[in-house]
Amino acid sequence: MRIKRWNILLLLVPFIFFTACDDDEDVDVDVMTPTAFIQEAAAIDTFEIVTANLALQNSTQAEVQEFAQLMLQEHTATRAQLRTMARERNISLQMNMTQERERIRTRLQSQTGTPFDKDYANVQVEAHEDAIQFYERARDRLQDQDLKTLADQILLRLRDHLREAQQLKDFTDQL
């Protein structure tokens, strides 16, 4: 009989513990700070600008170069919007890329012609899928209404970019 009581008690301990911990209503772990949003969004734009410039130098396909030119224009415009938002919020804007993005840039930089075109198209699909996930998360977690609005606007363009990147990938897969 004692063993059964201990088993029941052991089963209740996690329940009691988690119920007791549920009182932390003041802590919202799902909030994204303006600084976190602006820094990651700027890093996304930096990667797009750097890889677009590589495409303009290393690609031999007009379709790839046209897509790269569009990415250069769009992400330069987005970066300008982010600069304004950062300045208004006294946030220091850094244009650093993650180590993973730096590795991709290095890999792309070492290629030309068809191998470059295929890799660049694949990278663009993945980069835009990742960017869309980030902006969706940001839209849901930001409390700054102006940044939420900006995230929504950029998200619309990123979805267009993803469709175009997928078309570019389909094209380069045929090379």
Side-chain angles (χ1 to χ4, degrees), residues 105-171:
R105 183 201 59 78
T106 301
R107 186 182 73 223
L108 287 171
Q109 191 172 24
S110 69
Q111 301 171 12
T112 58
T114 302
F116 174 88
D117 295 333
K118 289 182 177 213
D119 198 6
Y120 176 73
N122 287 329
V123 163
Q124 288 303 300
V125 169
E126 290 175 20
H128 282 91
E129 287 171 344
D130 291 346
I132 287 169
Q133 287 178 355
F134 167 75
Y135 275 93
E136 286 173 342
R137 208 170 44 251
R139 181 193 57 205
D140 295 339
R141 295 178 179 176
L142 281 166
Q143 293 182 333
D144 183 314
Q145 195 56 49
D146 291 338
L147 291 179
K148 278 181 105 141
T149 300
L150 179 63
D152 276 334
Q153 292 168 356
I154 293 172
L155 196 50
L156 291 173
R157 289 188 283 191
L158 288 172
R159 287 186 178 126
D160 289 340
H161 294 175
L162 177 58
R163 278 190 292 278
E164 292 166 6
Q166 288 167 330
Q167 290 171 354
L168 184 65
K169 183 184 177 319
D170 291 343
F171 170 76

Side-chain angles (χ1 to χ4, degrees), residues 1-89:
M1 190 69 147
R2 280 185 168 203
I3 293 174
K4 280 188 176 182
R5 284 187 204 152
W6 279 106
N7 285 340
I8 291 172
L9 184 60
L10 287 174
L11 290 172
L12 290 176
V13 168
F15 175 75
I16 294 167
F17 175 76
F18 287 118
T19 303
C21 292
D22 199 25
D23 292 337
D24 291 338
E25 294 177 23
D26 295 348
V27 178
D28 191 353
V29 295
D30 288 337
V31 172
M32 183 179 289
T33 66
T35 301
F37 169 73
I38 288 173
Q39 294 298 355
E40 178 57 21
I44 289 168
D45 284 335
T46 298
F47 178 73
E48 288 299 322
I49 291 166
V50 167
T51 57
N53 280 321
L54 287 173
L56 293 173
Q57 296 167 16
N58 297 359
S59 176
T60 56
Q61 295 293 321
E63 291 84 352
V64 173
Q65 291 178 350
E66 288 171 16
F67 178 83
Q69 189 61 49
L70 176 65
M71 293 304 98
L72 188 59
Q73 291 169 353
E74 294 269 333
H75 288 279
T76 298
T78 302
R79 186 162 60 177
Q81 289 176 294
L82 289 168
R83 272 195 183 120
T84 300
M85 294 288 200
R87 197 172 26 254
E88 290 170 357
R89 288 158 182 76

